[in-house]
């Protein structure tokens, strides 16, 4: 073997550059010939003397031989990488082993046994099977993507569910860690960032078509009807300044990242937890202002009866609710008001009860708005609010005590107007608790200084704060109290979707600076959620109620490896095989009806004659 250096000229810029190829000489009936074994790219930064050393080391590794002299570290790293690529290339040329007819026994040197090229395959197999069930590749082809582009996009989606991260991290994972390319019958060893970004740029242009296709396909697969739509927003932060984006704005961050630019993701989800529509909005968008656009999308795409809209207090402004009533749309939301009328215990009914919590409620008609109001009181919520109340009382009284003690110290504020101003700011800061306090300020009439501050906590009989009480508002919804409450609680499914997107599917942070790249990053996470949700739904049908993190952890130990050994003929035998699944993995595979050892076993004997037979006469550098 030797490395050939080829001089090239860029057809556009006329710039001269060099490419490198691993080449082997062989004898043929027509005389000595050469064939290309592997394209090494154009970034091989080694000297002419080191090229021969690298070629010799690659040949030693592929034949299982030990080098007499230890090569430099950078040569060894390059040799191991290229030898692995060469072995995978040869293995890809061999067909699957037929156990019934090709079972063979050989005498081998046990000391020559090596295991290499370990690649994860368990989670990837689940993801690919789900994507095949959705026939997403066919839809992408219909939308104009080439087969190579489709393979990359499917690889990126599988990467997002398996090893969440940035597009750069996904590229490294596809090239060096995962057997996704083997599952897709392609080669990601030279996958570039440009190729991934090129797909991302096209993806956002066909986003609406993909979501419409997934909505229809998932409805057929699971045979559900869209009776309820849940809608909510979340934001995520960017790591840079994002000057290339109009959507990146500073606002209130739910991850306490208000100093970073934000973008907002809005999701419309059905009662089964499937994402029906996603919208990418400005980071400082007003929640109430997005509801009318959601309704417009819903009316444009909904056929048949309009579903019930369920949303939280962030969008439940009086103007929004009045607008929905004027359009005759059914909705369920939670009241924004903090002060609730007292409902006597004998008027309430228990709508949920378990060993550690209880929820009581009473349904009343609001004649003014035509709504039904479900007045609820939760024992769990009451306990949480009482703890908050306790802390607020402590903080408020400590602050009052600090002001009071300052009256007895020199060079501290004592003027009546200033003390009143300080207490006013304090009451505004702790507004949830300050209204329960009676505060008396004693003033010296001569000096106009405050001489003492006294306060007492007073339980207000007409205010039901910190009692675990809240009101659900429903319009044109004919449900009993229990079903009305359960329907609203389905909104927690949206929160679980956001948690999954952020913690399990790499939604945050966003490293891009360009708006269309940010949008594509978010949409890839949405597509990844579709895959994850289908897998979990199918497992739940078989009684396996795992979180995605648990599924990923269980399946992560199954890998595909190459075992190499030398036989008595001094030939190098390479066997590429998927490891045996453990009992938990087998249970998941059976539930999803997936082959328990993804991909068949491949065997190659790397003798001189075999290498000549397997190596192609001519190879072309892949173009991405």
């Amino acid at each position: 073997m030797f490395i050939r250096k080829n001089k090239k000229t860029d057809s556009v810029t006329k710039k001269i550059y060099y490419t490198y190829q691993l080449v082997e000489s062989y004898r043929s009936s027509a005389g000595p010939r050469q064939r290309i074994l592997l394209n090494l790219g154009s970034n091989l930064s080694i000297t002419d003397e080191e090229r021969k050393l690298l070629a010799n080391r690659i040949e030693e590794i592929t034949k299982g031989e030990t080098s007499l002299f230890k090569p430099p570290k950078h040569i060894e790293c390059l040799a191991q990488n290229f030898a692995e690529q060469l072995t995978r290339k040869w293995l890809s040329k061999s067909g699957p082993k037929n156990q019934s007819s090709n079972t063979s026994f050989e005498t081998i040197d046990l000391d020559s046994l090596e295991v290499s090229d370990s690649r994860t395959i368990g989670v990837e197999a689940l993801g690919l099977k789900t994507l095949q069930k959705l026939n997403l590749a066919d839809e992408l082809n219909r939308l104009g993507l080439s087969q190579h582009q489709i393979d990359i996009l499917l690889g990126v989606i599988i990467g997002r569910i398996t090893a969440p991260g940035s597009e750069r991290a996904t590229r490294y994972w596809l090239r060096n860690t995962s057997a996704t390319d083997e599952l897709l019958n392609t080669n990601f060893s030279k996958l570039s960032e440009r190729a991934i970004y090129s797909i991302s740029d096209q993806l956002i242009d066909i986003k609406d078509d993909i979501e419409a296709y997934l909505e229809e396909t998932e409805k057929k697969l699971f045979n559900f009807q869209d009776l309820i739509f849940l809608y909510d927003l979340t934001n995520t932060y960017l790591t840079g300044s994002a000057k290339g984006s109009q959507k990146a704005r500073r606002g209130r961050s739910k991850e306490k990242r208000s100093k970073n630019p934000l973008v907002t993701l809005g999701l419309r989800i059905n009662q089964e937890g499937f994402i029906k529509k996603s919208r990418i909005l400005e980071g400082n968008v007003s929640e109430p202002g997005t509801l009318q656009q959601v309704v417009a999308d819903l009316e444009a795409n909904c056929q048949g009866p309009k579903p019930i809209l369920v949303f939280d207090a962030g969008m439940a402004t009086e103007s929004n609710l009045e607008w929905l009533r004027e359009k005759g749309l059914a909705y369920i939301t939670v009241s924004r008001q903090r002060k609730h009328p007292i409902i006597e215990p004998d008027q309430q009914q228990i709508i949920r009860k378990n060993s550690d919590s209880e929820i009581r409620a009473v349904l009343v008609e609001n004649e003014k708005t035509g709504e039904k109001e479900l007045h609820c009181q939760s024992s769990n919520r009451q306990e949480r609010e009482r703890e908050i109340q306790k802390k607020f009382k402590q903080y408020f009284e400590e602050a009052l005590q600090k002001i009071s003690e300052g009256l007895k110290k020199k060079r501290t504020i004592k003027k009546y107007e200033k003390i009143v101003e300080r207490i006013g700011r304090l009451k505004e800061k702790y507004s949830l608790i300050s209204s329960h306090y009676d505060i008396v300020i004693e003033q010296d009439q001569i000096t106009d200084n405050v001489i003492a501050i006294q306060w007492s906590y007073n339980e207000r009989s007409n205010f039901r704060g910190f009692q675990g009480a809240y009101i659900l508002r429903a319009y044109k919804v004919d449900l009993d109290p229990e079903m009305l409450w359960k329907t609203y609680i389905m909104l927690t499914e949206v929160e679980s979707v956001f948690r999954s997107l952020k913690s399990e599917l790499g939604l945050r942070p966003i490293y891009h600076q360009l708006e269309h790249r940010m949008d594509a990053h978010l949409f890839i996470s949405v597509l990844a959620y579709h895959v994850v949700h289908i897998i979990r739904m199918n497992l739940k049908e078989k009684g396996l109620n795992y979180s995605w993190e648990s599924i990923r952890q269980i399946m992560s130990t199954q890998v595909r490896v190459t075992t190499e050994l030398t036989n008595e003929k001094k030939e190098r035998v390479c066997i590429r095989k998927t490891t045996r699944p453990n009992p938990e993995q087998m249970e998941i595979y059976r539930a999803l009806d997936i082959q328990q050892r993804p991909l068949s076993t491949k065997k190659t004997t790397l003798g001189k004659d075999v290498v000549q037979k397997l190596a192609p006469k001519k190879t072309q550098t892949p173009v991405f």
Side-chain angles (χ1 to χ4, degrees):
M1 293 182 185
F2 65 94
I3 296 176
R4 178 191 294 161
K5 183 178 181 180
N6 302 310
K7 184 178 180 180
K8 303 281 186 179
T9 303
D10 190 284
S11 59
V12 178
T13 64
K14 306 302 181 183
K15 183 179 179 180
I16 295 175
Y17 64 98
Y18 295 93
T19 61
Y20 299 88
Q21 297 170 324
L22 182 65
V23 181
E24 181 184 57
S25 299
Y26 68 99
R27 290 185 179 275
S28 69
S29 57
R33 293 289 185 271
Q34 294 178 351
R35 58 169 158 251
I36 300 170
L37 298 178
L38 196 66
N39 287 291
L40 307 183
S42 59
N43 297 319
L44 198 62
S45 302
I46 59 176
T47 64
D48 293 344
E49 293 77 13
E50 289 175 329
R51 292 211 309 269
K52 180 58 178 173
L53 185 61
L54 175 60
N56 291 341
R57 184 59 187 138
I58 293 172
E59 188 170 7
E60 288 173 349
I61 294 171
T62 56
K63 292 182 178 179
E65 298 174 355
T66 304
S67 180
L68 182 61
F69 300 102
K70 188 176 181 179
K73 184 177 180 180
H74 69 286
I75 295 296
E76 180 66 21
C77 290
L78 288 171
Q80 292 288 347
N81 181 38
F82 291 135
E84 179 182 308
Q85 291 184 35
L86 187 58
T87 302
R88 290 188 73 189
K89 180 180 176 180
W90 280 330
L91 283 169
S92 67
K93 298 295 181 180
S94 65
K97 181 181 177 181
N98 188 321
Q99 297 288 351
S100 60
S101 59
N102 292 332
T103 301
S104 60
F105 297 91
E106 295 193 42
T107 301
I108 61 167
D109 178 9
L110 290 177
D111 291 335
S112 69
L113 178 65
E114 290 185 1
V115 178
S116 63
D117 197 15
S118 175
R119 303 278 180 135
T120 58
I121 198 171
V123 184
E124 293 91 325
L126 304 187
L128 182 59
K129 179 70 173 181
T130 305
L131 290 168
Q132 290 171 343
K133 183 180 292 188
L134 289 169
N135 289 321
L136 185 58
D138 292 341
E139 176 63 12
L140 294 172
N141 180 260
R142 188 189 68 81
L143 293 172
L145 271 63
S146 68
Q147 185 58 53
H148 185 63
Q149 291 174 323
I150 292 170
D151 288 341
I152 294 175
L153 179 55
L154 297 184
V156 170
I157 295 171
I158 293 171
R160 194 61 63 86
I161 72 172
T162 310
S166 65
E167 281 71 18
R168 177 175 293 181
T170 300
R171 168 182 171 267
Y172 179 87
W173 176 82
L174 287 169
R175 288 179 54 159
N176 301 283
T177 306
S178 172
T180 300
D181 55 351
E182 293 184 71
L183 287 167
L184 292 169
N185 194 27
T186 187
N187 182 10
F188 288 150
S189 64
K190 296 182 180 179
L191 180 63
S192 65
E193 287 183 35
R194 179 184 293 182
I196 293 179
Y197 291 146
S198 175
I199 301 301
S200 297
D201 294 345
Q202 295 182 61
L203 179 64
I204 208 64
D205 294 333
I206 56 176
K207 171 181 176 292
D208 292 340
D209 295 309
I210 293 174
E211 288 194 321
Y213 171 78
L214 290 175
E215 179 178 6
E216 190 65 29
T217 303
E218 289 166 346
K219 187 180 291 188
K220 291 178 181 177
L221 284 175
F222 292 92
N223 194 29
F224 55 70
Q225 291 183 333
D226 293 327
L227 303 176
I228 299 168
F229 277 159
L230 316 166
Y231 178 66
D232 205 355
L233 303 173
T234 190
N235 54 37
T236 187
Y237 64 94
L238 291 83
T239 56
S241 60
K243 293 181 179 179
S245 171
Q246 296 295 319
K247 294 191 182 96
R249 308 283 179 83
R250 284 178 171 80
R252 180 178 174 274
S253 171
K254 297 181 180 180
E255 292 101 30
K256 310 300 181 185
R257 294 275 187 166
S258 298
K259 294 182 179 179
N260 297 69
L262 309 172
V263 290
T264 300
L265 177 65
L267 296 181
R268 175 159 54 86
I269 299 175
N270 74 351
Q271 70 275 9
E272 304 290 340
F274 285 95
I275 296 176
K276 311 297 288 184
K277 184 73 174 177
S278 65
R279 292 177 58 82
I280 302 165
L281 308 164
E282 293 83 0
N284 62 349
V285 68
S286 168
E287 286 192 0
T290 66
L291 184 63
Q292 294 191 15
Q293 183 60 51
V294 171
V295 172
D297 290 344
L298 181 61
E299 290 182 323
N301 298 287
C302 184
Q303 298 177 354
K306 297 291 191 300
I308 300 171
L309 279 172
V310 183
F311 48 92
D312 66 9
M315 284 160 277
T317 62
E318 289 301 327
S319 60
N320 271 345
L321 299 183
E322 184 178 353
W323 180 78
L324 288 172
R325 290 194 294 270
E326 288 175 356
K327 295 184 72 67
L329 295 175
Y331 63 80
I332 300 175
T333 187
V334 64
S335 174
R336 284 185 157 199
Q337 69 184 68
R338 291 179 177 175
K339 295 183 178 182
H340 309 304
I342 294 178
I343 305 296
E344 298 300 329
D346 59 349
Q347 296 178 293
Q348 300 174 340
Q349 69 177 86
I350 298 174
I351 59 174
R352 182 186 179 188
K353 185 174 183 179
N354 53 34
S355 59
D356 59 351
S357 68
E358 180 180 272
I359 297 175
R360 292 176 172 270
V362 60
L363 188 64
V364 298
E365 297 280 349
N366 187 324
E367 295 181 358
K368 182 179 179 180
T369 62
E371 296 174 320
K372 292 180 179 179
E373 294 183 352
L374 186 67
H375 296 252
C376 306
Q377 186 170 9
S378 165
S379 59
N380 273 350
R381 184 166 178 164
Q382 182 178 14
E383 289 179 15
R384 291 195 302 269
E385 290 183 357
R386 288 289 174 86
E387 287 298 318
I388 294 172
Q389 179 191 32
K390 185 177 179 181
K391 288 183 179 180
F392 281 2
K393 285 179 64 177
Q394 177 185 344
Y395 297 153
F396 187 67
E397 290 181 5
E398 285 176 354
L400 288 174
Q401 186 65 34
K402 185 177 180 180
I403 296 174
S404 178
E405 291 174 354
L407 300 175
K408 301 175 183 178
K409 297 178 181 179
K410 294 180 179 180
R411 294 184 294 277
T412 58
I413 296 174
K414 300 179 180 64
K415 289 294 183 182
Y416 179 80
E417 293 80 3
K418 294 293 183 181
I419 294 298
V420 170
E421 184 179 344
R422 288 185 66 183
I423 293 176
R425 288 198 299 266
L426 192 63
K427 293 175 71 174
E428 183 179 1
K429 182 177 180 180
Y430 297 103
S431 58
L432 288 176
I433 196 72
S434 61
S435 59
H436 293 263
Y437 280 84
D438 294 323
I439 302 174
V440 178
I441 303 174
E442 297 182 21
Q443 179 184 11
D444 189 323
Q445 298 298 327
I446 299 175
T447 62
D448 198 30
N449 288 343
V450 175
I451 57 177
I453 301 174
Q454 297 179 353
W455 61 87
S456 60
Y457 185 74
N458 180 20
E459 291 284 358
R460 303 299 176 96
S461 59
N462 63 342
F463 179 59
R464 230 180 140 186
F466 305 107
Q467 297 296 315
Y470 55 95
I471 299 174
L472 300 184
R473 302 174 64 174
Y475 182 72
K476 294 187 71 174
V477 177
D478 187 19
L479 297 173
D480 60 43
E482 183 177 358
M483 286 305 300
L484 178 58
W485 180 84
K486 286 182 176 179
T487 304
Y488 176 76
I489 292 302
M490 289 173 63
L491 198 60
T492 57
E493 184 65 30
V494 183
E495 296 173 359
S496 70
V497 172
F498 285 137
R499 283 195 299 271
S500 178
L501 287 168
K502 290 180 177 180
S503 62
E504 298 178 329
L505 300 175
L507 183 72
R508 64 181 182 188
I510 300 176
Y511 297 96
H512 300 293
Q513 300 299 305
L514 301 177
E515 185 166 297
H516 62 282
R517 295 272 169 85
M518 299 174 194
D519 292 351
H521 176 87
L522 293 172
F523 186 52
I524 288 170
S525 289
V526 170
L527 292 177
Y529 175 80
H530 280 273
V531 176
V532 167
H533 191 62
I534 290 173
I535 292 172
R536 293 191 63 216
M537 286 278 288
N538 288 332
L539 289 176
K540 283 181 181 179
E541 290 175 356
K542 299 299 176 67
L544 301 179
N545 194 6
Y546 289 121
S547 69
W548 179 246
E549 187 60 40
S550 297
I551 296 170
R552 191 160 55 195
Q553 187 174 1
I554 291 170
M555 301 304 299
S556 64
T557 58
Q558 190 177 34
V559 295
R560 189 162 174 83
V561 297
T562 298
T563 303
E564 303 177 35
L565 42 86
T566 303
N567 62 15
E568 61 182 350
K569 300 176 185 178
K570 302 300 181 182
E571 297 170 327
R572 194 67 175 166
V573 180
C574 301
I575 301 172
R576 185 79 173 153
K577 193 169 186 176
T578 304
T579 57
R580 182 187 299 117
N582 63 36
E584 284 183 306
Q585 292 166 349
M586 291 176 67
E587 185 179 35
I588 290 175
Y589 279 136
R590 289 196 192 102
L592 298 175
D593 191 25
I594 298 177
Q595 183 181 350
Q596 296 179 8
R597 286 199 185 191
L599 297 177
S600 57
T601 300
K602 292 184 177 181
K603 176 183 175 183
T604 302
T605 302
L606 301 179
K608 186 174 181 180
D609 294 337
V610 176
V611 171
Q612 291 178 358
K613 181 179 178 181
L614 290 176
K617 298 296 182 183
K618 183 179 181 181
T619 59
Q620 296 180 347
T621 305
V623 178
F624 297 101

